[in-house]
Amino acid sequence: MSDSHGTYFIPEPSRWPLVGSLALFISFIGGGMMLNGSGFGTFILGLGIGAVIYMFCGWFADVIGESLAGNYNKQVDISFRWGMSWFIFSEVMFFAAFFGALFYIRVFSVPWLGGEGSGFTTNAFLWPDFKAVWPLLMTPDMTLLDDKGLPLASSFVPIKGIIPAFDIPAINTAILLASGATVTFAHWALQKDNRAGLCWWLAATVLLGFIFVYFQIAEYAHAYHDLDLTMNSGVYGSTFFMLTGFHGFHVTMGAMMLLVILIRAMKGHFSRQDHFAFEGVAWYWHFVDVVWLGLFVFVYWL
Amino acid sequence: MSYAAVHDDVHHDHKPTGIGRWLFSTNHKDIGTMYMVFALIMFFIGGAMAMVIRLELFQPGLQFVDPQFFNSMTTVHALVMIFGAVMPAGVGLANWMIPMMIGAPDMAFPRMNNMSFWILPFAFALLLSTFFMQGGAPAGGWTMYPPLVLQLGDGLPFLIFAVHFLGISSIMGAINIIATVFNMRAPGMTFMRLPLFVWTWIITAFLLIAAMPVLAGAVTMLLTDKYFGTAFFDAAGGGDPVLFQHVFWFFGHPEVYILVLPSFGIISQIIPTFARKPLFGYASMVYATASIAFLSFFVWAHHMFTAGMPLAGELFFMYATMAIAVPTGVKVFNWTATMWRGSMTFETPMLFSIGVLFMFTLGGFTGLMMGITPVDFQYHDTYFIVAHFHYVLVPGIVFGIIAGVYYWLPKWTGYMYDETLGKWHFWLSTISVNVLFFPMHFLGLAGMPRRIPDYNTQFTDWNQIISIGGLAFGLSQLILVWVVIKCVRGGEKATDQVWEGAHGLEFTLPSPPPFHSFTTPPKVTEAMAHS
Amino acid sequence: MSVDKLKKAMCGVLAVALYLASGTVFAALTDMPLNLTRGVTETSQRVYDLHMIILYIVTVIGIIVFGVMCWSIFHHRKSKGAVAAQFHHSTTAEIIWTIIPIIILVAMAVPATKTLVFMEQTSDAEMTLKVTGYQWKWRYDYLEEGVTIWSALHEDSNKARQRDPSIDPETVENYLLEVDNPIVLPVDTKIRILTTADDVIHAWWVPALGWKRDAIPGFITDNWTNIKEPGIYRGQCAELCGRDHAFMPIVVHAVPKAEYVAWIETQKAEQAASAASANKTFTKDELMRKGEQIYTTQCAACHQAEGQGIEGVFPSLVGGAIATGPAADHIDIVLNGKNLMPAFKEQLNDAELAAVITFERNKWGNYEKITAKGHADVVQPADVKATR
Ligand code: HEA
Ligand code: HEA
Ligand code: CUA
Ligand SMILES: [Cu+2]
């Protein structure tokens, strides 16, 4: 516990929380309407997202202002650390849900459908021609035949090919690992009061982040156009896009957060002792990095 | 002596005025109050839905509502009660009490705290708006099992987004509580001196952070299955509907302890106060709570025994479920031992706490019975389950929250509540709640399935008794509202300590406490700890 | 301990026991249902015994725990001058009340495990019944015999369960627990039961057999039974499966083996006859009469008795675009379904489909609209067969 008790900074009433809730509310309404097929919903969603961004800018501007004004003592800083750590932990659990789904599908549901273990009758009576293989190129319903022996219509699109691990994904792995290193170099530079080093290493990190995202988008385009690997190609496509998609989204967010940190660094914010915003974003970046390693191993490679 | 009296600096106690005080609040007490009021409103909305259920079930045949609407009633009743009434009430009490109990000026992140609250009305606006949509409100049960839930009309994305929204609120609330307790304790307030209510809340917060994101993931997969062609829960594409159940219950079982642990915490504060005796086995209470939380991540599939898991899975989840009875038993025995050779008085908070003790235990026993896999094949999806979870949820949790409200109400308002009315509230509630939920055991054993709007005539008599009990229980809750309003408006002044046997930092502050609880932290000694 | 105290303690314990027993006594006196059935299979009887053992164990624990609580509530109160002791822990006590529950739980786990292992032995069954849940009826396939039975809520119950019923539910025997086609199973035969579903999850549950199993679309779950006594056993779908979840009962007639064999033979004969009817041509009257029957049992649940449907959920067939459009579209949607509209191609044969479609096209003023548009009003089995 710190000795600076009694001066814990309690902010004045603020409108940002309410604006934030309202902004999310509008986004959700818009998103819901959009999914129900209303074009107007897309507009409302746009409006809501705009409001969310406005809220973030406003809220963080306040926080940055308070930080620069020296309102945050050691104890407040520790609160931020706890807060960020547990936020990242919640993100870990979010990804855990999807990794769990992936494992369940690979270890249980697909083998059962293929007749392994307790799935013997399932396979024999419902999907007699289905073979469990991973990656799952043919979904169970693609193996069904009608009375005349012709294939029945499937609700999914067969996959022509998958993305090999040791191609773009491997390069992306290298990129993210490198970015993990550069952000650490930036931190070392900051600790040595080397402002130029800080900015350059940060810039390199942001750049690597965006290159990663670029490759990811190219890979998606390839998957959709050339491989017929889509969200709609059965459970392989489902897990593939769900996991890589949410990860890609997190990389994008992380890169943007790093960009903000870079701009602040260039403006001369942060000091050797006092730079939690930088560290928080760096933790986040490492977290995104680790998730990618899991993805690389379990989605692309094995 | 009162620390606050020394430090109560009028200058610090200025309150923001007008509606902005509530909309833009950064004050843990105001936010706590908003949470409590919101929870009460939702309790009535959820209760009104339960009344519709009970009305339709009063007689065999369909008298009042369409079966689809009936299903919407059970589904939304559960969602409103769990996410709108019980969880917010727990967070509200945490907001009010934790800073005062650990000697902090406020929560660690006051602004985020406000956002956690303000999300709730918006989230429920999303959820309840589905009643007016094409296809109606969610009707697939609060468990949202696919493929059934995917048959919902336009309401589906709104259901899912409402769940996401509530998850965001809970996670932010949990992070706030953890940061507050870890970082803002007064000097001398070591972990093993924390009041048990604070302990149960830290553990609850961990559960929230670990469980809510998993729920978010589960419903996200529902969304993509419906709108983006994925196949997570569709065997035709290689998925499995049961996968959803695994992910849901990985959240769902810890969730029930998220609901109940704060109630355990509350009665652990109250029983020692009115027994005038220190809590028995403080350390083992902490460890038992932690064990319950830990084990709760390994028992989820006891909700899915009939889904046809392999034998090894059924055995594992049966044993793990049974194991939870041990730490829970430790808690029950410790509370009993706290009362043992105490010098008890029975003011309303104590009465409600004793109600929790008896009736939660009863609900726990039936839980244990359902944990025995082969027998659960008979119990599953019958009113026996409904009886079990209402015993743990209503007299187990709602009573605990009510006990907490009576216990701290004089602290919050500065006035004593009307003890006579409180006692009436307790006795009427206790009698009616048993008339309401006890016969459900018989119905379930005799074979009445749950989630049905209509039943065979052999079940009529019990259902009528249940419905009457339900109405009586609902009406009894109006007393609570009256007591609270009366107490807010005035009455006998409460002392700082409020209760003769009360201990803890919150009782060193004046009643009502100053706007910012401890602007200068108190020093905590061993003697002051452990109520 | 003084005698006085002992008396009071006993009062406390008695109060608790009374609380638990009062419901039981009351119910016993008034003949209200109370407890699990013992059932008619080895499994159900083992399960019942297990249930009673656990019930007794928790009742005894309850009486002890609640008894202690009551004792201290009555005696250790301030108004009786009790002075609070100040002890606040005892390692010995805590170890004891951790160990004892563990022992009790292990003792419970042993018979539970045995029963579970017993129930999982689905091998060496003498016959196999495949059960498929549909919204909201059951399909039963006697796999070895090639016989298929569709089983839905009985007509009387169906009428009585409407919002403004034409029959009072109180007067319907086995209200909601009666079906149009009960299944017949032989006694003293190990029957393997495979459950699956076509649309959403259902659960097949006959309490007298002692277990339930979820019917999961795309997967088959496995169980078995061996009925000891002939009789009629009723059950219900036990997993929420949408609007009419309450209305898909199960009725099993357990009969001696010889009777079962005779029954199977009549089923086979009936199925052959109905298959033959698919090649016939019917008069419009015949089709309308049969169509009305099928409409009430198969379609009215959603499209309602007068074809008016339910706003926003089930479309009205009165003057509806498809019901008054080209016959081919009409046949197509009933055969193959669409969204919530189930596919009927498996459930009804060509003659039945022709009948119900003809019925819809001629009722509720649809005939006038159809003829005005120049579409066919009568559909024959051959038309359906062609579209299949
Ligand atoms: C706060 C909520 C809460 C709590 C605390 C519990 C506590 C427990 N629950 Fe319950 N449960 C629910 C809420 C809760 N439950 C809900 C909402 C559902 C239904 C969800 C749905 O389907 O909609 C449910 C359903 C549910 C099921 C699924 C049933 C089915 O659908 O087939 C099971 C099965 O094992 C179960 C078991 C247990 C057990 C073993 C405990 C244990 O924690 C209880 C432990 C306590 C005791 C045992 C009593 C005290 C102990 C002693 C005095 C010690 C000595 C005792 C012995 C040695 C016996 N619960
Ligand atoms: C914390 C959670 C919680 C709480 C507090 C309650 C409280 C109550 N519940 Fe519920 N319930 C659930 C959680 C909860 N329930 C869950 C999780 C389910 C499962 C859902 C599912 O299957 O998916 C469920 C399901 C459920 C069912 C089964 C439905 C079915 O399976 O078909 C029933 C039936 O009786 C029921 C009844 C009640 C009643 C009578 C109360 C009473 O305690 C309520 C008391 C009444 C009031 C508080 C109203 C007070 C006000 C007035 C009476 C004044 C009059 C005002 C108006 C009418 C506007 N609940
Ligand atoms: Cu079928 Cu419920
Ligand atoms: Cu559980």
Side-chain angles (χ1 to χ4, degrees):
Chain A
M1 229 153 305
S2 101
D3 46 4
S4 48
H5 270 290
T7 49
Y8 194 90
F9 175 71
I10 307 293
E12 287 298 299
S14 160
R15 67 199 158 104
W16 298 117
L18 188 65
V19 172
S21 315
L22 197 65
L24 283 170
F25 181 56
I26 295 171
S27 312
F28 283 140
I29 292 180
M33 288 170 67
M34 189 183 82
L35 290 174
N36 286 332
S38 149
F40 190 54
T42 320
F43 171 74
I44 297 182
L45 176 62
L47 211 71
I49 292 177
V52 172
I53 293 170
Y54 168 70
M55 176 274 291
F56 269 121
C57 293
W59 192 328
F60 281 108
D62 280 4
V63 172
I64 292 166
E66 285 158 12
S67 171
L68 293 179
N71 286 336
Y72 294 165
N73 61 7
K74 190 85 184 50
Q75 200 190 2
V76 178
D77 194 64
I78 295 173
S79 286
F80 283 140
R81 281 161 200 277
W82 281 122
M84 192 68 192
S85 321
W86 289 107
F87 167 65
I88 290 177
F89 179 65
S90 78
E91 292 267 45
V92 169
M93 291 309 293
F94 183 68
F95 276 96
F98 298 120
F99 274 108
L102 176 71
F103 294 142
Y104 182 89
I105 283 162
R106 292 186 58 172
V107 179
F108 298 115
S109 82
V110 170
W112 282 340
L113 289 165
E116 269 173 48
S118 62
F120 177 73
T121 44
T122 298
N123 181 263
F125 288 103
L126 301 177
W127 318 103
D129 299 318
F130 175 70
K131 302 252 172 333
V133 283
W134 194 265
L136 187 72
L137 302 184
M138 295 274 277
T139 59
D141 71 345
M142 288 172 195
T143 62
L144 290 181
L145 305 174
D146 68 7
D147 307 341
K148 303 185 187 82
L150 298 172
L152 285 166
S154 161
S155 24
F156 303 97
V157 184
I159 306 172
K160 292 200 198 111
I162 59 156
I163 291 168
F166 290 95
D167 198 333
I168 294 184
I171 298 174
N172 262 348
T173 310
I175 290 173
L176 269 197
L177 288 177
S179 76
T182 52
V183 81
T184 308
F185 296 153
H187 194 193
W188 289 347
L190 176 54
Q191 281 168 336
K192 291 196 194 102
D193 254 342
N194 173 358
R195 179 74 39 178
L198 167 65
C199 293
W200 280 112
W201 284 122
L202 260 179
T205 313
V206 175
L207 188 69
L208 287 169
F210 282 118
I211 293 176
F212 174 93
V213 174
Y214 170 78
F215 275 145
Q216 192 80 2
I217 292 172
E219 182 187 291
Y220 277 12
H222 174 58
Y224 264 81
H225 288 132
D226 308 325
L227 302 176
D228 277 352
L229 172 58
T230 70
M231 291 252 256
N232 195 19
S233 35
V235 83
Y236 181 76
S238 308
T239 49
F240 177 84
F241 283 104
M242 194 65 117
L243 278 158
T244 57
F246 270 111
H247 177 261
F249 175 71
H250 280 76
V251 176
T252 314
M253 297 312 291
M256 295 209 290
M257 280 150 57
L258 281 170
L259 191 64
V260 172
I261 296 297
L262 172 61
I263 293 167
R264 286 186 61 189
M266 282 158 50
K267 278 192 174 175
H269 295 190
F270 309 127
S271 66
R272 275 175 64 173
Q273 309 81 16
D274 210 359
H275 51 262
F276 175 70
F278 173 90
E279 279 180 86
V281 174
W283 292 351
Y284 191 80
W285 195 248
H286 289 308
F287 149 72
V288 172
D289 214 355
V290 171
V291 171
W292 174 260
L293 290 180
L295 281 181
F296 181 70
V297 174
F298 294 111
V299 176
Y300 290 98
W301 185 8
L302 295 183
Chain B
M1 87 145 201
S2 162
Y3 287 91
V6 183
H7 299 290
D8 190 11
D9 173 347
V10 184
H11 174 73
H12 272 276
D13 212 33
H14 68 271
K15 289 182 187 150
T17 48
I19 184 76
R21 170 175 172 194
W22 304 100
L23 294 180
F24 308 136
S25 177
T26 48
N27 179 278
H28 74 99
K29 299 192 188 72
D30 284 354
I31 296 173
T33 304
M34 290 195 290
Y35 263 113
M36 297 308 290
V37 172
F38 178 79
L40 188 65
I41 294 171
M42 293 313 272
F43 181 63
F44 274 73
I45 294 178
M49 292 177 183
M51 294 299 115
V52 175
I53 298 174
R54 287 319 322 167
L55 189 67
E56 183 56 61
L57 289 176
F58 189 73
Q59 292 176 53
L62 289 176
Q63 288 80 26
F64 302 98
V65 296
D66 183 81
Q68 184 74 15
F69 187 76
F70 181 90
N71 292 345
S72 295
M73 282 290 121
T74 51
T75 305
V76 182
H77 156 70
L79 291 171
V80 165
M81 283 299 199
I82 290 177
F83 293 102
V86 171
M87 287 170 73
V91 184
L93 289 171
N95 249 303
W96 249 104
M97 302 318 299
I98 288 179
M100 302 207 300
M101 286 177 145
I102 64 172
D106 205 296
M107 297 290 279
F109 305 113
R111 274 182 296 230
M112 191 167 84
N113 198 14
N114 196 30
M115 184 151 173
S116 304
F117 169 74
W118 275 107
I119 282 177
L120 294 177
F122 289 118
F124 280 95
L126 278 182
L127 180 65
L128 297 178
S129 70
T130 56
F131 275 103
F132 307 100
M133 288 177 194
Q134 148 93 35
W142 81 283
T143 47
M144 300 180 282
Y145 284 5
L148 181 63
V149 74
L150 302 178
Q151 293 184 349
L152 182 61
D154 286 354
L156 183 67
F158 292 90
L159 165 66
I160 290 171
F161 290 149
V163 171
H164 281 142
F165 219 5
L166 291 166
I168 296 172
S169 159
S170 299
I171 291 168
M172 294 198 310
I175 289 174
N176 216 335
I177 286 170
I178 294 184
T180 307
V181 180
F182 277 25
N183 191 33
M184 298 183 64
R185 282 166 289 124
M189 181 59 91
T190 57
F191 271 101
M192 286 320 254
R193 286 179 187 170
L194 286 176
L196 255 172
F197 178 68
V198 180
W199 254 118
T200 54
W201 248 111
I202 310 180
I203 293 168
T204 305
F206 285 139
L207 289 176
L208 277 169
I209 296 178
M212 293 308 288
V214 176
L215 175 66
V219 295
T220 305
M221 288 187 268
L222 285 181
L223 193 78
T224 58
D225 262 19
K226 169 91 176 190
Y227 293 100
F228 300 96
T230 58
F232 290 105
F233 310 130
D234 183 358
D240 184 350
V242 176
L243 166 60
F244 177 85
Q245 304 181 10
H246 282 289
V247 185
F248 179 87
W249 288 115
F250 184 85
F251 145 82
H253 190 83
E255 167 71 12
V256 305
Y257 294 101
I258 289 169
L259 298 170
V260 84
L261 292 185
S263 167
F264 286 174
I266 293 164
I267 70 168
S268 304
Q269 301 298 125
I270 293 175
I271 292 177
T273 297
F274 294 97
R276 292 170 181 73
K277 190 163 155 281
L279 181 71
F280 187 88
Y282 174 91
S284 73
M285 281 301 227
V286 173
Y287 299 136
T289 312
S291 322
I292 291 173
F294 177 76
L295 284 173
S296 77
F297 284 104
F298 304 96
V299 302
W300 76 86
H302 65 211
H303 297 270
M304 308 160 51
F305 284 145
T306 63
M309 273 178 291
L311 179 62
E314 308 219 300
L315 287 174
F316 171 81
F317 286 108
M318 172 169 80
Y319 301 146
T321 301
M322 293 171 84
I324 288 205
V326 176
T328 317
V330 167
K331 300 198 68 126
V332 171
F333 301 137
N334 280 348
W335 287 317
T336 312
T338 307
M339 299 198 302
W340 187 256
R341 295 192 37 220
S343 167
M344 277 190 278
T345 52
F346 299 92
E347 286 85 349
T348 313
M350 182 63 163
L351 288 175
F352 273 100
S353 302
I354 291 174
V356 172
L357 215 49
F358 276 83
M359 290 181 276
F360 171 81
T361 306
L362 202 79
F365 287 151
T366 52
L368 187 78
M369 295 172 74
M370 295 169 353
I372 311 287
T373 314
V375 207
D376 186 63
F377 290 156
Q378 289 282 44
Y379 302 148
H380 178 70
D381 256 317
T382 67
Y383 262 76
F384 195 74
I385 310 293
V386 180
H388 156 68
F389 66 72
H390 280 99
Y391 261 93
V392 282
L393 288 169
V394 183
I397 300 175
V398 175
F399 272 35
I401 291 165
I402 292 174
V405 169
Y406 279 107
Y407 185 55
W408 286 308
L409 199 57
K411 174 55 60 184
W412 298 339
T413 63
Y415 303 111
M416 293 308 284
Y417 61 84
D418 185 331
E419 191 62 56
T420 318
L421 280 178
K423 292 218 160 81
W424 272 100
H425 179 209
F426 169 75
W427 285 109
L428 287 175
S429 297
T430 300
I431 294 167
S432 57
V433 89
N434 285 291
V435 177
L436 168 56
F437 294 123
F438 203 78
M440 287 185 179
H441 293 114
F442 303 138
L443 281 178
L445 293 176
M448 177 164 157
R450 60 191 278 209
R451 296 166 165 171
I452 56 173
D454 194 3
Y455 48 80
N456 181 267
T457 44
Q458 63 170 316
F459 302 126
T460 313
D461 297 340
W462 283 129
N463 269 300
Q464 296 191 331
I465 293 172
I466 291 171
S467 289
I468 292 168
L471 185 66
F473 180 72
L475 290 176
S476 312
Q477 303 322 305
L478 296 174
I479 303 176
L480 173 68
V481 180
W482 177 232
V483 170
V484 171
I485 293 175
K486 225 177 124 178
C487 181
V488 171
R489 292 166 84 196
E492 188 197 328
K493 287 290 291 170
T495 59
D496 290 0
Q497 201 194 0
V498 184
W499 310 106
E500 186 191 27
H503 290 274
L505 286 181
E506 76 266 37
F507 294 108
T508 62
L509 288 171
S511 307
F515 197 59
H516 292 293
S517 303
F518 289 95
T519 40
T520 310
K523 290 247 182 310
V524 180
T525 59
E526 180 64 39
M528 294 164 58
H530 298 194
S531 43
Chain C
M1 198 189 287
S2 73
V3 179
D4 189 41
K5 269 188 178 174
L6 187 69
K7 266 191 201 155
K8 280 186 184 152
M10 286 174 64
C11 283
V13 175
L14 231 117
V16 180
L18 265 179
Y19 167 72
L20 292 173
S22 57
T24 325
V25 173
F26 179 63
L29 289 177
T30 54
D31 213 22
M32 285 148 87
L34 269 186
N35 201 356
L36 213 56
T37 165
R38 268 192 69 85
V40 290
T41 63
E42 161 109 41
T43 302
S44 71
Q45 283 158 12
R46 285 200 185 195
V47 164
Y48 175 85
D49 293 341
L50 202 51
H51 158 76
M52 290 313 287
I53 295 173
I54 319 167
L55 186 60
Y56 288 134
I57 293 178
V58 295
T59 309
V60 170
I61 299 177
I63 289 175
I64 296 170
V65 175
F66 296 156
V68 175
M69 286 180 196
C70 289
W71 173 277
S72 69
I73 287 169
F74 285 113
H75 293 280
H76 305 147
R77 44 171 75 211
K78 200 180 176 196
S79 57
K80 290 209 170 161
V83 179
Q86 287 303 316
F87 64 84
H88 53 75
H89 81 279
S90 151
T91 313
T92 327
E94 297 191 37
I95 289 174
I96 291 173
W97 65 51
T98 311
I99 301 287
I100 290 180
I102 292 178
I103 295 171
I104 296 173
L105 290 171
V106 172
M108 282 185 193
V110 173
T113 306
K114 280 189 187 147
T115 308
L116 194 60
V117 171
F118 170 74
M119 292 176 76
E120 291 291 321
Q121 284 154 6
T122 52
S123 55
D124 53 76
E126 294 158 66
M127 61 173 278
T128 312
L129 179 71
K130 180 163 163 254
V131 181
T132 312
Y134 286 75
Q135 278 176 323
W136 291 280
K137 51 177 116 19
W138 295 99
R139 170 189 168 142
Y140 299 94
D141 294 284
Y142 289 77
L143 288 182
E144 289 86 356
E145 313 289 343
V147 166
T148 297
I149 305 275
W150 288 88
S151 183
L153 186 64
H154 189 269
E155 205 178 321
D156 290 346
S157 290
N158 198 25
K159 283 185 186 145
R161 64 118 175 161
Q162 302 300 328
R163 281 282 283 289
D164 291 304
S166 48
I167 310 179
D168 180 2
E170 303 279 354
T171 64
V172 178
E173 209 182 334
N174 295 314
Y175 176 58
L176 299 185
L177 294 178
E178 188 68 277
V179 294
D180 51 0
N181 294 316
I183 53 165
V184 175
L185 291 176
V187 296
D188 294 326
T189 310
K190 183 161 182 182
I191 307 168
R192 187 170 187 185
I193 299 188
L194 305 176
T195 37
T196 183
D198 183 65
D199 33 42
V200 301
I201 304 175
H202 304 261
W204 199 80
W205 179 39
V206 177
L209 306 189
W211 49 268
K212 69 171 70 70
R213 260 289 183 273
D214 290 359
I216 296 159
F219 287 85
I220 283 183
T221 45
D222 228 346
N223 220 312
W224 64 274
T225 192
N226 191 341
I227 306 170
K228 289 180 180 168
E229 290 163 36
I232 300 179
Y233 307 113
R234 298 171 196 283
Q236 276 177 282
C237 174
E239 177 66 54
L240 180 58
C241 53
R243 182 170 178 274
D244 285 354
H245 159 61
F247 310 110
M248 49 184 296
I250 297 155
V251 179
V252 174
H253 283 214
V255 298
K257 273 185 188 165
E259 238 175 276
Y260 165 75
V261 173
W263 178 81
I264 275 285
E265 290 312 319
T266 55
Q267 292 303 312
K268 283 183 183 165
E270 264 180 43
Q271 284 190 5
S274 110
S277 73
N279 299 319
K280 283 208 297 198
T281 306
F282 295 91
T283 66
K284 187 167 173 181
D285 267 0
E286 280 173 330
L287 288 172
M288 289 296 283
R289 225 174 315 114
K290 190 155 181 212
E292 174 153 25
Q293 250 179 23
I294 296 167
Y295 184 84
T296 1
T297 52
Q298 302 287 339
C299 322
C302 300
H303 295 290
Q304 305 297 307
E306 292 305 318
Q308 76 274 26
I310 292 177
E311 179 102 49
V313 197
F314 305 119
S316 162
L317 301 176
V318 181
I322 291 183
T324 64
D329 295 350
H330 198 162
I331 299 174
D332 180 65
I333 195 165
V334 184
L335 271 179
N336 299 313
K338 187 182 167 198
N339 301 327
L340 283 188
M341 164 80 189
F344 281 92
K345 69 171 158 222
E346 307 252 310
Q347 312 184 21
L348 300 175
N349 64 33
D350 293 347
E352 290 165 326
L353 284 164
V356 73
I357 292 169
T358 303
F359 174 76
E360 284 178 353
R361 295 176 78 75
N362 288 280
K363 274 299 255 196
W364 315 307
N366 286 354
Y367 175 74
E368 290 74 15
K369 295 213 176 87
I370 284 184
T371 40
K373 289 193 212 164
H375 300 306
D377 60 329
V378 173
V379 172
Q380 290 292 350
D383 303 327
V384 179
K385 201 169 181 180
T387 319
R388 242 181 222 270

